Amino acid sequence: MISYLEFEKPVAKLEARIAELRTAADGDDVDISKELERLEVKSADLLASTYASLTPWQKAQVARHPSRPHFTDFVDLIFDDFIPLGGDRNFGDDEAILGGFARLDGRKVVLIGHEKGNDTESRIRHNFGMGKPEGYRKAIRLMQLAGRFNLPVVTLVDTSGAFPGIEAEERGQAEAIARSTEACLALPTPMVATIVGEGGSGGAVALASAERVLMLEHAVYSVISPEGCASILWRTAEKAPDAAEAMRITAQHLKKLGVIDRIVKEPVGGAHRDPAAVAQNLGKAIGQELDALAKLSSDEVRRMREERFLQIGVS
């Protein structure tokens, strides 16, 4: 069952009407197929027009949709032979950040990403995708393994930000994020990062400092959440829609600014309506990027990575 967002209520009413007609038509001799077809076309058109003109705040809501596919969903839909590796060899394991070895259409890769969970129990276990220091240190360890075995790195970013708790700060959250970002930039092998949902603050940058950064069509990427920005600037989270507009958090804005390199198309109505379709698009896009980068030497990859970040914001 689809969970509708506030701005999708007109679509929800139409689809509810279609469901009622289908139920009423069961075992009835009256032919309502034409009426059903008319309503289905109207619903599809309304959904398409709604998603063609989403505001940045509405895109943020889509990026946070509870049914949106997360890391483990993409592992099942895109990758083969995933071998998870846990622990930072220092404190413990962080289930907000997962990673290990995998294959993408036969290509061997090191795969790392945030996992938010898909129900109450798993969301608590994965800490809603908010990584702790041991999670980022695990990512560093995996990137070092990638360099040692000459494997490309693929990251799937989906976090509202790194975990802000006192215990995380005590274990060196800022230092872990900085060193993870450094590990990305120093990686001797190709790296392709994709923002698949939320890309929040340094918690996202620590896994997204790649030479090729992709972004799903309705994902968002920002230095702070719209609510956080609104609370600072206007002292109220009610201004979050204004903050989202001002911060240019959408894939379309960020592509123009040069922050990301490529937008991966989602099905009409968002990735949560057809995870298999968006996974197919994403797998194809990542594969194309990896094939193009495979031709480059380690020095060329690092230089390309450095140049793309130095060019951000340069007119």
Side-chain angles (χ1 to χ4, degrees):
M1 181 178 177
I2 296 174
S3 174
Y4 293 95
L5 299 169
E6 184 68 26
F7 65 84
E8 293 178 311
K9 282 187 175 180
V11 177
K13 289 181 180 178
L14 264 178
E15 294 189 353
R17 177 59 179 157
I18 291 169
E20 288 174 3
L21 283 176
R22 283 203 180 113
T23 301
D26 286 345
D28 198 327
D29 294 334
V30 179
D31 183 9
I32 60 169
S33 59
K34 288 186 178 179
E35 176 64 10
L36 274 174
E37 184 179 351
R38 184 186 71 81
L39 288 175
E40 285 170 349
V41 170
K42 185 177 179 180
S43 176
D45 289 345
L46 180 58
L47 184 67
S49 63
T50 298
Y51 271 76
S53 57
L54 293 181
T55 66
W57 175 238
Q58 288 171 335
K59 281 185 178 283
Q61 293 175 281
V62 176
R64 297 168 176 172
H65 195 285
S67 299
R68 192 173 179 86
H70 300 137
F71 180 86
T72 52
D73 300 305
F74 287 118
V75 168
D76 292 338
L77 292 168
I78 303 176
F79 299 90
D80 299 310
D81 303 328
F82 179 58
I83 302 174
L85 299 175
D88 67 346
R89 301 301 185 265
N90 182 34
F91 179 81
D93 191 32
D94 177 17
E95 292 196 62
I97 297 177
L98 304 179
F101 297 111
R103 292 179 185 270
L104 174 62
D105 293 331
R107 307 173 188 86
K108 296 178 182 178
V109 301
V110 169
L111 178 64
I112 310 170
H114 300 93
E115 173 57 48
K116 286 185 170 181
N118 51 26
D119 56 29
T120 301
E121 182 182 349
S122 63
R123 284 169 187 149
I124 292 172
R125 185 173 73 252
H126 293 292
N127 201 34
F128 299 87
M130 295 186 291
K132 297 178 181 177
E134 48 273 21
Y136 291 104
R137 291 181 179 126
K138 174 168 62 177
I140 294 168
R141 186 169 72 84
L142 293 175
M143 283 186 264
Q144 290 171 342
L145 283 174
R148 191 175 305 158
F149 293 109
N150 195 33
L151 296 174
V153 173
V154 174
T155 63
L156 304 178
V157 177
D158 188 9
T159 181
S160 58
F163 183 59
I166 293 175
E167 65 270 30
E169 296 297 338
E170 289 175 340
R171 295 198 295 273
Q173 183 72 290
E175 182 261 355
I177 290 172
R179 289 196 181 277
S180 183
T181 305
E182 180 185 40
C184 292
L185 296 172
L187 189 69
T189 58
M191 181 176 183
V192 177
T194 304
I195 315 299
V196 296
E198 286 186 277
S201 192
V205 173
L207 296 186
S209 298
E211 66 272 18
R212 295 295 291 176
V213 180
L214 284 53
M215 198 166 168
L216 292 190
E217 184 181 0
H218 301 307
V220 294
Y221 191 21
S222 60
V223 70
I224 190 173
S225 69
E227 297 93 330
C229 177
S231 296
I232 293 170
L233 295 182
W234 293 286
R235 306 298 186 196
T236 173
E238 292 180 2
K239 288 282 190 177
D242 296 324
E245 182 71 43
M247 288 196 297
R248 302 291 190 265
I249 64 176
T250 70
Q252 294 71 27
H253 284 132
L254 296 171
K255 178 72 167 57
K256 290 180 181 178
L257 292 170
V259 175
I260 67 166
D261 304 294
R262 180 171 178 174
I263 299 173
V264 179
K265 190 171 180 58
E266 294 187 30
V268 175
H272 58 281
R273 287 179 176 267
D274 194 345
V278 75
Q280 184 178 18
N281 293 343
L282 180 57
K284 183 178 179 181
I286 293 173
Q288 290 172 346
E289 298 294 347
L290 289 175
D291 289 344
L293 294 170
K295 303 170 185 177
L296 305 178
S297 67
S298 294
D299 288 340
E300 288 173 322
V301 165
R302 286 197 188 97
R303 192 178 307 115
M304 181 179 178
R305 202 174 293 146
E306 180 182 350
E307 288 175 355
R308 84 169 301 282
F309 282 97
L310 290 175
Q311 288 302 310
I312 290 176
V314 176
S315 58

